[in-house]
Every structure is written in C-alpha cells, then in structure tokens.
C-alpha cells in the first residue's frame, strides 16, 4: 500500500515570498526550499545522484511517482523522469520516429526551439516534416501544412504556449505527442490535457516540465503510452528503458511543488490576468497575446526598448522576462511572437503565481508610468 | 521619398527612428527605411497593423513606408 505523499513531504502553507518576481523561473517558495533541504540532509547530498540505493529513497520515490500519476492522470507505469528538456523531446520524437510507424511529423511554428530541433533531427529516420502556421490569436492551423495520411502522421501538439499562455482548443486528428511543458496544474481537473490523456487513445507520449508548477529546473516527466510504438533512440546497454539522469532530490521536490500547486484555486490569478489586460488599455499601440486566462501574459509596447523598461521596473522592485532581441540573452527576436505577427520589441513577459488584483496594482502603476515616460523621452 | 538610414542599428531603434521621422515630417507620405536588423521585418508587420500605415518590402534591407494603404511584406 502506498502511503499518502504529503506525509513524506512535510508540506506547509505557501508564503508570498515571490510576490514581486514575475519571471518564469523565480526563487522557490518556502515549503519547497524546506523540503529540498530535508531531502539533502537525509542522505542525498549530491544533487546529481540518480535514484540512489536504499529503502528510504525507494519509498520516497514511489510516493512521488504516485503523486505525479494521480495529479497528471497518467498511469504510473508510463512515467519516466528525465533531467533535461531537450533530452525529453529528443527521446519522445526520435523514439517514435525510430519505430517506423510514421511517415510524417507535424509541428507548429510556435513550438519550443528544442522540440523543433528534435523534429528536424527525425528526418534522419526517413520521416517528412510538415510545419503549420499560426494566426494572430495564436491558434495553430494544422490544415496549413501539406496534406498527408493522418494515420501515419505524428503530430507534436503544444497544448499551451509557454511564452504567451495561449491554449490550443482543438485537438488535431491522428497520433499525438503532447507538449504539456507549459501547463500549470492549478485547476488541472478541467484542462484539455487531462481530457486528452484520460479519454483519448491517440496520445503516444507526453512531456511535462516541473517548472510549470513551481518546481525545479532539471526534472521533466516523459510519459510513454503503453499502446504506443516507441524505440529507444539512444545507444544503451539497458534492454528495457535506461534512466535519464534525473536527480532524486529534484524529483521529490517536484512532487512537493505539484501537490502544492494543484491544490490552489485558479480564480485569483485569472482575475489578476484579466485585470492587467483591461487596465493596460490606457496605453495605446500595445499588443497583449492571448486570452485572459492563467498565469502568463506577454505584453509588447510599440516604440519602447524592452531592456530599458525592464531596468526601470527593476528599480521599483519588479523583475520580468522579455522576448525582445534587445533585452534577452539571445540576439534574435522571439520566434513565437514573430510567427504570430505580434510586435517583438518592447516585449515583457510576466508570470503570475500567488497574485490577485490587489497585489498586481503596484506593478501596473509602475509599468504604465515608465512606459509613458520612456515614450515621451524617445519620440 | 524621405530616407531613414538605420543600417547597423538594433531593435527597436529602426522602428523608433521611423516613428520619429514620420512625426517630424508630417507633410510627407513616403519613406524609405533601410535596416539590416532581423527583427525589423516582423516588427514592421506588427507596426503596420497597429498604426494603419503600409509597408512594402523592396528587399531584405529596404522597406517602403506609405501613410495609410495596404501592406505587402512577403
């Protein structure tokens, strides 16, 4: 019998210690930090350790597995832990391509770059690639790709875009690889992903990212449908399925974060999201991607340098991300915004965690004031 | 046609220089924006939609801008 996961994780209430940090990867909340410390002090001092020996570790990992299985609606036997996102996409996409079941792979112009890279690599297994366009509202038009036999086509289906927060509402026909790396399990019970996984036999594999529920970077869940044809694309001596480098402490920490996040109500951040979108209408010539749901907003303001805007917001204590070339570590603009036809400069991305309307008001005031001031200085 | 030379400038300066020039030269209708920044083409498409001005790509570094009208970047 499996013990309740929370009794092993020492879960305590979330504090608002990340309230002004709107970046995608923010410091961990207090209960997650406390639990990670516990995991290390109980014998996993090496964060790189892979499923170390010992009964205590086995029990904790089994509890974590049950948590992932229950919350994500996945059979426990389908779940594999992977340490790296590119590796998760590579294993999934190339593993299906290697099976020889598929003649084509469909993907969209707004897929994650490492997913697109793995898809392009799949050409080595003899499949053809079909790229689908996306419209201004972020909806993927799978019909825009060249016609192919859908029963022999594998579709990389990004359920939700991590940059804009946009959901795809239409499930494409045919076998699917579900990119669920940007799903927040808050309100998970009603999501399309859960519906697809629990009711559709068409999913071949699904990839989840622990950072989407406030967990650590370095823990990805690769679920392989037992009915899917999949061959390990990597050279290995393990005849079944090798382990993919996931650390025990990070795996346990991810399960704690998932328990905490899935227990929260989605309503307050939805309200904060809608409030910000409505109030930002006071600035003209502004693009806000997507609809007013969930924890993410991507805001592009015409004639503004994002790097300077970010510096001024930071001086008020607000840290945000950006998809603009002038502010990010990359020197090319966001391929997601460009594919959608949304302005790529003057872009800031924010991620809401425990916010409500009241808590985002100071950020809104700061953003509007700095955007107006910057524009008047530049034009 | 007024030329706006933004070669060598990085985003968002080409779009800001274009906006400034159109504001300062309100009697002129046509502008030639020269820019070799990779973000200029997608941003001009969005800029055209937001401002109602038209853009025609002559080549990958030269863009003809007209107040009002239809956009053709492809």
């Amino acid at each position: 019998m499996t013990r309740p996961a929370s009794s092993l994780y020492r879960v305590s209430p979330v504090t608002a210690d990340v309230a002004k940090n709107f970046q995608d990867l923010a410091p961990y909340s207090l209960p997650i930090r406390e639990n990670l410390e516990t995991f290390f002090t109980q014998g996993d001092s090496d964060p790189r350790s892979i499923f170390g020996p010992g009964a205590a570790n086995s029990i904790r990992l089994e509890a974590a597995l049950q948590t992932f299985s229950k919350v994500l609606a996945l059979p426990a036997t389908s779940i594999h832990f992977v340490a790296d996102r590119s590796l998760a996409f590579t294993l999934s996409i190339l593993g299906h391509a290697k099976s020889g079941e598929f003649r084509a792979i469909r993907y969209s112009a707004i897929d994650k770059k490492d997913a697109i890279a793995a898809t392009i690599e799949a050409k080595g297994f003899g499949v053809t690639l079909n790229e689908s366009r996306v419209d201004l509202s972020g909806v993927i038009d799978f019909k825009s790709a060249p016609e192919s036999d859908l029963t022999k086509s594998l579709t990389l289906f990004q359920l939700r875009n991590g940059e804009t927060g946009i959901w795809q509402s239409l499930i494409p026909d045919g076998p699917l690889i579900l990119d669920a790396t940007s799903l927040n399990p808050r309100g998970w019970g009603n999501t399309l992903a859960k519906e697809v996984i629990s009711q559709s036999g068409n999913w071949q594999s699904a990839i989840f990212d622990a950072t989407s529920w406030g967990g650590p970077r370095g823990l990805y869940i690769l679920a392989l449908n037992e009915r899917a044809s999949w061959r390990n694309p990597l050279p290995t001596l393990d005849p079944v399925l090798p382990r993919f480098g996931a650390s025990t402490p990070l795996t346990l920490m991810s399960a704690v974060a998932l328990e905490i996040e899935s227990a929260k109500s989605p309503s307050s951040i939805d309200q904060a999201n809608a409030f910000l979108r409505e109030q930002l209408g006071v600035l003209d010539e502004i693009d806000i991607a997507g609809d007013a749901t969930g924890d993410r907003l991507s805001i592009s303001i015409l004639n503004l340098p994002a790097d300077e805007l970010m510096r001024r917001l930071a001086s008020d204590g607000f840290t945000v991300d950006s998809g603009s070339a002038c502010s990010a570590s990359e020197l090319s603009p966001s391929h997601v915004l460009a594919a959608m036809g949304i302005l790529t400069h003057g872009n800031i991305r924010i991620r809401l965690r425990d916010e409500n309307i009241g808590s985002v008001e100071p950020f809104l005031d700061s953003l509007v004031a700095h955007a107006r001031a910057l524009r008047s200085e530049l034009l | 046609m007024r030329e706006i030379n933004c070669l060598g400038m990085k985003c968002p300066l080409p779009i800001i220089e274009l906006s400034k020039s159109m504001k300062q030269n309100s009697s002129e209708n046509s502008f030639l924006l020269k820019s070799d920044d990779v973000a200029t083409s997608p941003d001009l498409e969005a800029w055209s939609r937001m401002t109602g001005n038209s853009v025609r790509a002559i080549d990958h570094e030269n863009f003809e801008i007209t107040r009002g009208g239809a956009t053709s970047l492809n």
Side-chain angles (χ1 to χ4, degrees):
Chain A
M1 188 178 76
T2 305
R3 293 165 61 190
S6 56
S7 66
L8 296 165
Y9 298 149
R10 216 167 52 119
V11 174
S12 55
V14 171
T15 59
D17 59 342
V18 292
K20 288 190 176 182
N21 190 331
F22 296 111
Q23 291 176 294
D24 191 24
L25 291 174
Y28 305 124
S29 62
L30 186 60
I32 296 175
R33 288 204 302 269
E34 283 177 346
N35 278 284
L36 185 64
E37 190 182 340
T38 304
F39 300 144
F40 281 129
T41 55
Q42 289 182 352
D44 289 305
S45 57
D46 182 355
R48 298 167 301 177
S49 69
I50 307 165
F51 299 94
N57 259 352
S58 299
I59 292 168
R60 289 195 210 104
L61 281 167
E62 177 60 26
L65 190 63
Q66 294 302 326
T67 295
F68 291 126
S69 172
K70 181 180 165 193
V71 179
L72 302 178
L74 295 165
T77 50
S78 73
I79 292 174
H80 307 279
F81 301 123
V82 182
D84 179 82
R85 189 172 73 183
S86 294
L87 178 60
F89 279 115
T90 297
L91 286 166
S92 178
I93 294 166
L94 297 190
H96 295 301
K98 188 180 181 183
S99 74
E101 289 281 308
F102 304 103
R103 291 184 197 138
I105 295 183
R106 299 192 297 174
Y107 67 102
S108 80
I110 56 167
D111 278 321
K112 290 187 166 58
K113 285 181 179 174
D114 34 17
I116 292 176
T119 305
I120 291 169
E121 209 177 320
K123 282 170 75 177
F125 291 99
V127 297
T128 58
L129 307 184
N130 289 347
E131 181 174 296
S132 301
R133 289 193 299 268
V134 62
D135 67 17
L136 190 59
S137 59
V139 175
I140 300 169
D141 178 11
F142 283 105
K143 291 197 169 72
S144 66
E147 288 276 336
S148 54
D149 179 357
L150 286 182
T151 62
K152 293 291 179 186
S153 293
L154 183 63
T155 302
L156 179 57
F157 182 38
Q158 184 189 77
L159 288 148
R160 187 185 185 220
N161 186 267
E163 190 167 331
T164 62
I166 292 172
W167 283 88
Q168 299 301 319
S169 56
L170 295 174
I171 306 169
D173 295 328
L176 305 173
I177 295 177
L178 297 175
D179 173 0
T181 53
S182 300
L183 294 192
N184 186 303
R186 203 182 290 215
W188 173 255
N190 298 319
T191 64
L192 179 69
K194 190 164 184 176
E195 182 186 323
V196 173
I197 289 167
S198 61
Q199 295 178 16
S200 162
N202 269 358
W203 72 281
Q204 302 287 300
S205 58
I207 302 163
F208 297 82
D209 178 350
T211 63
S212 70
W213 53 76
R217 192 161 209 165
L219 194 283
Y220 297 83
I221 290 172
L222 169 62
L224 295 173
N225 191 333
E226 285 158 6
R227 284 187 283 172
S229 54
W230 184 88
R231 300 285 180 275
N232 186 355
L234 303 180
T236 174
L237 295 175
D238 189 329
V240 187
L241 196 63
R243 288 167 176 163
F244 300 116
S247 125
T248 301
L250 295 190
T251 305
L252 299 175
M253 187 179 176
S254 301
V256 172
L258 184 61
E259 280 198 356
I260 293 170
E261 193 66 14
S262 61
K264 291 178 185 170
S265 163
S267 60
S268 65
I269 57 169
D270 280 352
Q271 287 165 3
N273 188 322
F275 173 76
L276 283 172
R277 285 168 190 272
E278 185 189 333
Q279 296 297 313
L280 284 169
V282 299
L283 293 172
D284 54 5
E285 294 171 339
I286 180 170
D287 264 345
I288 305 178
D291 300 320
T293 57
D295 58 346
R296 294 164 204 242
L297 276 102
S298 177
I299 303 158
S300 299
I301 308 170
L302 187 64
N303 294 320
L304 278 192
D307 53 351
E308 181 58 26
L309 180 61
M310 289 168 76
R311 270 193 286 275
R312 295 190 184 193
L313 287 170
S315 70
D316 287 348
F318 302 109
T319 49
V320 297
D321 289 318
S322 174
S324 295
C326 60
S327 57
S329 54
E330 293 186 39
L331 291 175
S332 57
S334 156
H335 75 288
V336 174
L337 299 180
M340 290 173 64
I342 285 182
L343 190 70
T344 69
H345 79 241
N347 176 265
I348 60 167
R349 293 200 313 255
I350 68 170
R351 183 167 170 187
L352 305 169
R353 288 187 171 78
D354 292 301
E355 278 72 33
N356 53 45
I357 289 175
S359 73
V360 295
E361 271 182 317
F363 170 73
L364 175 71
D365 293 343
S366 172
L367 175 57
V368 170
H370 288 311
R372 282 178 169 158
L374 255 174
R375 265 187 179 162
S376 68
E377 290 167 25
L378 290 168
L379 293 178
Chain B
M1 185 183 295
R2 178 171 290 272
E3 183 177 305
I4 308 160
N5 189 343
C6 296
L7 293 172
M9 291 184 190
K10 288 292 175 193
C11 123
L13 287 176
I15 303 293
I16 290 176
E17 289 301 315
L18 170 63
S19 297
K20 253 162 72 173
S21 184
M22 290 186 77
K23 188 176 173 185
Q24 288 164 358
N25 301 284
S26 54
S27 60
E28 294 195 37
N29 279 328
S30 295
F31 299 81
L32 176 66
L33 175 68
K34 300 173 92 66
S35 171
D36 51 4
D37 180 58
V38 291
T40 297
S41 181
D43 274 0
L44 277 175
E45 189 179 338
W47 174 86
S48 167
R49 172 175 51 78
M50 294 167 101
T51 62
N53 299 307
S54 71
V55 181
R56 185 174 72 86
I58 299 167
D59 56 39
H60 67 285
E61 287 187 358
N62 293 282
F63 304 91
E64 185 183 343
I65 315 294
T66 310
R67 290 187 196 275
T71 287
S72 169
L73 274 170
N74 297 318

